[in-house]
Amino acid sequence: MTTVHESTTSSFLAATSEVLSGIATGSTHGYWYAKNLCNKWLFKPFQRLAGFSTNDDDKSAESTCSPKELQVVGVGYGRTGTYSLTLALDELGYKTLHTQHMYETPEILDMWNREIFTPSIESGNADLGHPDFDLIATKGFTATADLPMSLYFEQLVDRYPDCKFILTTRQSSEVWFRSWDMLTKTITQPTRYFRWMSHADTINRYYRWLFSRINEENSYLSAPLPLPDQNKERAIASYEKHNRRVREVIPEDRLLEYNVKQGYEPLCDFLEIADCPTTPFPKTNSARSVQVQTISAMVIPLALVSFVLFYGFANAFHRQTGQTIVQWTNSKWTALVEKQSKRTMEKREESKRKRKNNNGGGKTKKQ
């Protein structure tokens, strides 16, 4: 009995931790979305009007700088422990770009949308194209993990000859697909309802392109929302073909095939890091956590905007009426209740008069 109770408590605590982690990460994404929107529609236009330079004006100067080269690239499919790998690489000193960070870096997300996602949707063919990898390095990232970057290993292996590659895998293709299928179902629904928000629309474009690549089926590019479920047979075939091709293309001395359950030691050996962490290896990004992240990232900016608009309206209302909205509402409610009570009393008096008149008329007839 005690064992069952402990197991239930442990499961509850784990689920609570996942939800809280999802809210925290989603809040961070929401903050970045709000910040980027403010920069785009408020601060940058004001800077231009005032004659100050903006980050956009400095892009040409930035592009002439010699960017750092990517040193480590995770080439495993999503749901193979890529976010745990990201946190581990961060701990080892590599600033790592994961899909979640891509959402927080508008220049990188806009590049993918402009160069890859939108052209693929418009042409009806999910092409890999040629992303601007140097832009990623220019932003200070020295490593990447997760999709979409993991799909570009054949371009990256020649472009960065000193780069090392890490192929994260699961116990089996079936295990991978169960996790991948659950993830795709949890992330597409929230963005479906918030697609009127510009960043949500961009993410939907990414999902269309990505699902087309993973399932090798271009119909996702034009399918109505919510996007169709994953094709198990095609997705597993794609996963296995990708892993085989990685092993064929990348030289053995530059490739580590890795399961995150192995911990830090294989990573440290492969990356030649002598001072290997003794802390527990990061374990995060469950399907439940990702779902909460997605919803939080959409809802929190909307809630903040709603609060700001309501606060502005409330202040204007107070200046105009001399009352707060609560005071005005209470006064109107009180007046309505009093009016209704008066009407009820009048109806009762009228009813009494009618009964009295009827009783009087009856006595007259008897006499």
Side-chain angles (χ1 to χ4, degrees):
M1 189 71 178
T2 304
T3 304
V4 174
H5 176 71
E6 290 176 350
S7 177
T8 303
T9 302
S10 177
S11 298
F12 174 76
L13 291 175
T16 302
S17 176
E18 290 172 358
V19 170
L20 293 176
S21 173
I23 292 174
T25 306
S27 300
T28 303
H29 293 168
Y31 163 76
W32 281 102
Y33 294 147
K35 178 183 176 183
N36 293 335
L37 285 174
C38 288
N39 280 334
K40 181 177 181 179
W41 298 108
L42 293 177
F43 301 139
K44 287 184 179 179
F46 177 78
Q47 285 179 301
R48 292 193 184 98
L49 286 174
F52 297 110
S53 64
T54 65
N55 291 338
D56 291 339
D57 301 326
D58 297 333
K59 278 183 180 178
S60 58
E62 183 183 72
S63 63
T64 60
C65 298
S66 178
K68 296 179 180 178
E69 292 190 350
L70 293 177
Q71 299 173 30
V72 181
V73 173
V75 290
Y77 267 19
R79 306 312 297 166
T80 59
T82 57
Y83 194 59
S84 294
L85 175 64
T86 295
L87 297 179
L89 290 174
D90 283 336
E91 180 69 21
L92 295 176
Y94 297 94
K95 184 180 178 182
T96 307
L97 176 70
H98 188 271
T99 302
Q100 296 189 32
H101 303 140
M102 187 171 73
Y103 300 155
E104 299 168 1
T105 314
E107 294 88 352
I108 294 177
L109 183 59
D110 289 345
M111 179 274 292
W112 282 101
N113 186 40
R114 182 180 61 253
E115 301 293 335
I116 308 299
F117 308 152
T118 297
S120 293
I121 291 171
E122 291 176 348
S123 68
N125 186 36
D127 290 323
L128 279 177
H130 297 279
D132 186 356
F133 301 123
D134 285 343
L135 173 65
I136 296 170
T138 299
K139 294 300 177 182
F141 294 101
T142 56
T144 69
D146 199 31
L147 301 158
M149 280 292 289
S150 59
L151 298 176
Y152 290 86
F153 61 93
E154 294 194 59
Q155 296 183 29
L156 294 167
V157 70
D158 293 327
R159 186 180 187 89
Y160 301 109
D162 296 324
C163 181
K164 292 189 174 183
F165 298 85
I166 300 171
L167 175 62
T168 46
T169 59
R170 297 294 291 265
Q171 298 93 311
S172 68
S173 301
E174 286 284 342
V175 171
W176 168 79
F177 180 78
R178 283 199 299 270
S179 180
W180 171 254
D181 188 48
M182 183 182 297
L183 172 74
T184 57
K185 288 175 179 175
T186 60
I187 62 178
T188 54
Q189 287 292 344
T191 54
R192 170 195 179 192
Y193 295 112
F194 290 91
R195 63 181 183 272
W196 50 272
M197 302 172 78
S198 60
H199 60 273
D201 181 64
T202 301
I203 294 169
N204 270 321
R205 287 172 175 265
Y206 170 49
Y207 293 157
R208 288 184 179 279
W209 176 86
L210 181 63
F211 293 175
S212 296
R213 294 294 311 182
I214 299 298
N215 294 275
E216 299 183 341
E217 175 55 68
N218 285 324
S219 62
Y220 289 92
L221 295 171
S222 57
L225 296 173
L227 294 175
D229 291 342
Q230 303 296 292
N231 184 310
K232 181 177 181 179
E233 183 178 335
R234 285 176 173 269
I236 287 179
S238 172
Y239 170 77
E240 294 176 346
K241 182 173 72 174
H242 171 85
N243 291 349
R244 283 197 304 270
R245 186 61 181 159
V246 165
R247 298 180 188 109
E248 292 170 358
V249 171
I250 300 176
E252 288 185 8
D253 61 332
R254 295 174 62 190
L255 176 65
L256 171 67
E257 190 163 343
Y258 177 69
N259 188 305
V260 292
K261 293 181 178 180
Q262 295 174 273
Y264 276 112
E265 188 174 349
L267 281 179
C268 293
D269 291 343
F270 179 63
L271 299 175
E272 300 177 359
I273 296 175
D275 189 14
C276 201
T278 57
T279 54
F281 194 85
K283 180 182 179 182
T284 186
N285 225 33
S286 66
R288 180 188 288 110
S289 176
V290 172
Q291 184 179 32
V292 174
Q293 287 174 30
T294 306
I295 295 173
S296 300
M298 302 298 168
V299 171
I300 289 174
L302 183 61
L304 289 174
V305 170
S306 300
F307 174 78
V308 171
L309 291 175
F310 179 78
Y311 182 78
F313 172 77
N315 277 312
F317 185 88
H318 186 264
R319 287 195 299 269
Q320 186 70 24
T321 65
Q323 294 179 303
T324 65
I325 293 177
V326 173
Q327 290 171 337
W328 180 86
T329 302
N330 284 336
S331 66
K332 292 297 181 182
W333 175 254
T334 302
L336 179 63
V337 170
E338 289 176 350
K339 184 177 180 180
Q340 187 64 32
S341 298
K342 184 178 180 181
R343 187 175 297 173
T344 302
M345 292 297 295
E346 289 175 350
K347 286 183 177 180
R348 286 177 180 175
E349 291 296 327
E350 180 68 23
S351 178
K352 286 180 180 180
R353 284 195 298 270
K354 286 183 178 180
R355 285 199 300 270
K356 186 176 181 181
N357 291 336
N358 289 338
N359 291 336
K363 289 179 181 179
T364 303
K365 286 183 178 181
K366 286 181 179 181
Q367 294 174 355

